[in-house]
Amino acid sequence: MTDPTTQSTTLPTQFDPNTTEPKWAAKWRQEPFRADATSGKEPFTIVIPPPNVTGNLHLGHALDNTLIDTLIRFKRMAGFEALYLPGMDHAGISTQVVVERQLKDAGTNRHDLGREA
C-alpha cells in the first residue's frame, strides 16, 4: 500500500475494500436511500422487481441489481433526487409453474382452489 500523503501514479495490484468501503458505507448510512418528492432536484427512479417465488438468484439477477445500484448511486452523487424502488414480480410464468407443482404435490390444483383462494 502506498503512503496516502505522497503523490503516486501507480495503482495497487489488488483491490482492498477495507481501504475504501468504510468511508462510503458511512456516507450511505448518513444519506439513506429515499427520495424527497418536494425536492427541487431532477428526479431519477429505477423500479426493480423483487426475487420471484422460486427464490433462485442467478447471475442475471446479480448483474442487473449491481448495475441498478451503481446507476442510482451515480445519479445521487450527481445531484439527482434518486430513488431505488422495489417493483412487481417479473417472473409470472415461472411463479405459476412453481406454485402449480406445489399444489400438485399437495394433491390439488388451481382450478380446485378457485380464483379467490
Side-chain angles (χ1 to χ4, degrees), residues 15-28:
F15 173 68
D16 180 12
N18 293 322
T19 62
T20 56
E21 290 301 316
K23 170 189 169 187
W24 292 109
K27 178 173 176 51
W28 293 120

Side-chain angles (χ1 to χ4, degrees), residues 27-67:
K27 178 173 176 51
W28 293 120
R29 278 193 297 273
Q30 291 170 358
E31 300 174 20
F33 286 97
R34 62 175 175 249
D36 178 3
T38 63
S39 168
K41 296 179 182 177
E42 184 175 356
F44 180 83
T45 304
I46 295 178
V47 178
I48 59 167
N52 59 36
V53 74
T54 65
N56 293 330
L57 180 67
H58 56 75
L59 190 55
H61 286 117
L63 177 62
D64 184 47
N65 287 331
T66 300
L67 292 172

Side-chain angles (χ1 to χ4, degrees), residues 53-112:
V53 74
T54 65
N56 293 330
L57 180 67
H58 56 75
L59 190 55
H61 286 117
L63 177 62
D64 184 47
N65 287 331
T66 300
L67 292 172
I68 291 171
D69 182 61
T70 302
L71 284 169
I72 288 293
R73 289 174 188 244
F74 174 78
K75 288 295 194 175
R76 178 174 279 240
M77 288 188 289
F80 285 75
E81 192 64 46
L83 179 62
Y84 194 6
L85 180 69
M88 298 178 60
D89 185 355
H90 66 290
I93 294 171
S94 296
T95 300
Q96 183 172 347
V97 168
V98 170
V99 171
E100 287 192 18
R101 283 184 189 150
Q102 291 173 344
L103 290 173
K104 183 178 178 184
D105 290 346
T108 189
N109 63 53
R110 65 185 167 100
H111 301 291
D112 291 342

